[in-house]
Amino acid sequence: MWKEWPLVAFTIAGQMAVGFFLVAGFPLFLLDGSHAVGTTREEGLAVLAVVLGLLVAAALLSFFHIHHPLRARSSLVNIRTSWLSREIFFELVFIALVAVEIVLVWGVSAASGLSRGVHVAAALAGILFLLSMIRLYMLETLPLWNQAYTPLSFALTALSLGAIAAGFIWGGIFILLSLAFVAAEIVISFLLAPGHGVYRSRPTPSLRPPADVPRYLHPARLASSLAGLSLLGAALIWGRGRAVEGLNGKEWLVAAFALVLAGQLTGRFLFYGLLARPGR
Amino acid sequence: MVTQYGFFFDAAACSGCKACQMACKDRNDLEPGVLWRRVYEVAGGGWEKKGEVWVPSVVAYNVSMACNHCEKPVCGLSCPTKAIWKREDGIVFVDTDACIGCRYCEWACPYTALRFDARTNTVSKCDFCFEAIDAGGAPACVASCPRRALDFGDLAELRKKYGDVRQIFPLPDPSQTEPALVIKPHRDAARAAERAAEVANWEEV
Ligand code: SF4
Ligand code: SF4
């Protein structure tokens, strides 16, 4: 299970990039001369830079997962039938469009029609990247992953981490949004991933060996997310309005982010741990 | 001309000696831990009360399994590099020069036929002993079985000879990959699920 750390890191970083772009990028899309929803161009650029940084980090981390990184280029050749090829393709398109948007917002204007067009195209690429990431685990031959939990948890990882990060910049409505997403994530983990808590769980009949998932990880993951949820509530109370006004709100948010992220990482290790690969 | 090679496995005849597993390892010079053919020991049941008497309800049989050179090879359909391909005669190959070692196909194949080989840093699997076949011989596993529990040939011919059963417990639903496989079931197989049978030798497969 632990040996899947590059995949855990890749999927979480990639999903966070998508979520941050979609949630925090929304005010950027609305940005006009009058600083829509209080957004400055610098804040917009900061959002785009973080998204790009996360995507590049995700791409680099994925190299630790493959055993012939120098052949990585050929992973795009089977777009016709492989969701893995599609995932890589859409990630590259997403990276390119975010980079173009940075150049446009920096050099031209966030309010230009062109940068808004690029923003919408990048959002679409990000969504397709997330969908391919979900779909590649939902094969008929993988009953443990081919369930509602996979799309829901991947999407909620993106949205909750993205919304907390947006809350850090803009506070207010974004903290409320992150509360809703994290709560939803906890509910689906509790209801739809009970197998994650059961040692040696797997569907039978199967030629796949039983999963070797430590039993304590499922409750630990729920506890971490619940603690993060409580801190988000605290951040909402202490950092009313724009979080920047009360430093307290920001500190709560950083702690909440760390706890929710720890919950997501644990949940993702469990996810991969469920499907053991026989042999080495 | 053969359009789809396939294997036949007689679960009623297999004694679980694992000669096929070892012949495969030997012929292909596989590293410890890399198994292209495995023999799963299926075991379950116990005692059942019938009227006033307790009778044994033991389930015990073996399943010898390699790559089934599927007609719908999900391994190849999932591979991002097209490193898994199907020859005209249906044999499914891994091109180790194209494989990037992402190990996605290992998850996709429900028969766990693909195994990571640390020597090449790629996946590897049964190639149907294609060199022997091309020279008119037989796969090592088939040739080695002392109980003649394995056979191979054109899938259409195998079906004519042995019927069309493709699944026994604990194999997956064959509609997932359309395996080129014909099985003669062991008499215990029909009640394996209800008697909570399980593979009993995970450390060996
Ligand atoms: S048994 Fe597995 S590896 Fe072999 S062709 Fe079918 S899906 Fe591919
Ligand atoms: S491990 Fe190799 S053969 Fe398997 S999916 Fe990845 S590139 Fe393809």
Side-chain angles (χ1 to χ4, degrees), chain B residues 75 78-81 83-84 94 98-106 123:
Chain B
C75 52
S78 316
C79 171
T81 66
I84 300 178
V94 176
C99 171
I100 57 171
C102 69
R103 307 187 65 177
Y104 181 39
C105 52
E106 282 181 68
V123 293

Side-chain angles (χ1 to χ4, degrees), chain B residues 66-70 72-76 84 92 108-114 125 177 179:
Chain B
C67 170
N68 292 309
H69 302 273
C70 305
K72 191 172 95 189
V74 285
C75 52
I84 300 178
V92 174
C109 169
Y111 297 96
T112 65
L114 289 137
K125 68 165 195 72
T177 67

